[in-house]
Structure formats: structure tokens, C-alpha cells
Amino acid sequence: MSNSWKRPKIKISKTKSEWLWDILGYSFYLGSFIFLIYNWNRLPDKVPAHYNPLGEIDRWGSKMELLILPIIGAFIAVLMQVLEKFPESHNYPERLNQENAKEFYLISRKMINLLKNICLITFTLLLFESVSIAIGWGISFGVWFLPITIISVLIPIIVGIIKQKKVR
């Protein structure tokens, strides 16, 4: 069944973990937007706009650039929400069939859900860091932010692949 159009469409209710991650991810996202609006007038004209791999600021930019983070977060959330809604369109091994489709779909959908919410939380933390540095709180995540972000994205992918390998 390599053709995704021939794959069965199965209605699978969201799991409690998916609801929990959505609440967490969207709460962080909404909170970051409120945080940015609340602190907008406190922000100087120049704010941290980019960080190097060591977590050091390597470019300053206009405070308008901070709006890029919520915009990208919204784009990713919408895109991944659509992908969650249509798990039959995801990439699966040749052994996908009518009997195991539900299990494959659920594993893939949960992975997308988790990645979506990790992205929302990551953009929230970046926005919080940039705003807090700009207004003088000095809160920086430093050298650990990038490795932790990479690991937090890789773990759901690796776990998803391992779970899919176990599907018969």
C-alpha cells in the first residue's frame, strides 16, 4: 500500500496524553504572547535577535523581530495540527495494512502531537529569554538550550520509530 490514497481512513479519538500536551503547548504559546504584549512598552529598540550554538547573543535587532517567534509558532502549530488530523497521509513502512493501520496511525499522530507542542514550548522559551535579556532581567539559558532542544525533538522521533518497528 505505498499509495497514501488507498490507505484506510480511521477515526481515532485523541488520547489523554495528546490532550495534555496540547493544553501544555498551547498554554505556553498563549502565555508567551501575553508576556510579549505585557512587556512590549518596556522593551528597548534593540533586543536579542539571534543566538549562536553556545547560547550567546550574536545579533541584536528591532523589537519587531520578536513577533517572528509567535508567527512561526502559529504556522508550525497549524501545519502540524493538519498533519495530526490526517495520519493516513504520513509515511509508513510497506507492512501497513487494514489490521495494523490504527496502531501505526496512533503512534505517528502522537509523535506529531508531541513534536508540535515541543516546538511551541521551544519558541516560548526563546521569546521569554530574548524579552527577559532585553528588559534587563538577564535570564539566559546559555549553552544547554540547543542540546536540550535537539534531544527533546529527537526523543519522540526515535521512540516513534522504535514503536513502529514493533507493529506487526
Side-chain angles (χ1 to χ4, degrees):
M1 272 195 204
S2 61
N3 186 346
S4 65
W5 297 110
K6 294 180 183 177
R7 292 181 179 161
K9 294 186 186 273
I10 303 169
K11 175 80 170 127
I12 307 169
S13 298
K14 271 198 173 199
T15 64
K16 287 181 182 177
S17 69
E18 288 173 298
W19 281 111
L20 180 65
W21 276 107
D22 277 348
I23 290 168
L24 190 64
Y26 286 116
S27 295
F28 266 75
Y29 177 77
L30 183 61
S32 72
F33 207 69
I34 292 167
F35 178 74
L36 180 60
I37 291 167
Y38 180 78
N39 288 295
W40 188 259
N41 290 331
R42 293 184 198 175
L43 290 170
D45 291 337
K46 296 290 182 193
V47 298
H50 192 267
Y51 301 86
N52 67 22
L54 299 176
E56 301 162 339
I57 301 164
D58 62 3
R59 188 173 73 77
W60 292 78
S62 162
K63 69 181 182 179
M64 295 299 288
E65 289 185 51
L66 292 176
L67 297 173
I68 293 170
L69 294 169
I71 290 169
I72 293 172
F75 175 77
I76 288 173
V78 168
L79 178 66
M80 294 182 96
Q81 195 74 41
V82 170
L83 287 174
E84 278 182 76
K85 189 164 179 63
F86 301 103
E88 66 275 2
S89 68
H90 301 179
N91 191 24
Y92 297 102
E94 290 289 324
R95 67 182 192 281
L96 174 75
N97 58 47
Q98 190 71 35
E99 291 77 39
N100 63 17
K102 183 176 180 179
E103 191 174 359
F104 270 117
Y105 290 1
L106 186 58
I107 291 167
S108 187
R109 193 185 71 195
K110 287 172 89 171
M111 181 178 64
I112 297 293
N113 175 272
L114 193 50
L115 290 170
K116 171 190 71 184
N117 289 301
I118 288 170
C119 287
L120 288 174
I121 292 167
T122 300
F123 282 111
T124 295
L125 293 173
L126 283 170
L127 184 62
F128 176 78
E129 180 180 36
S130 293
V131 170
S132 65
I133 289 170
I135 60 179
W137 294 348
I139 299 170
S140 174
F141 299 120
V143 71
W144 291 104
F145 188 77
L146 184 60
I148 289 171
T149 300
I150 291 170
I151 290 167
S152 68
V153 168
L154 285 177
I155 287 174
I157 294 170
I158 292 168
V159 168
I161 291 170
I162 291 169
K163 285 182 177 181
Q164 280 194 353
K165 288 200 177 291
K166 294 179 180 179
V167 175
R168 297 285 162 225

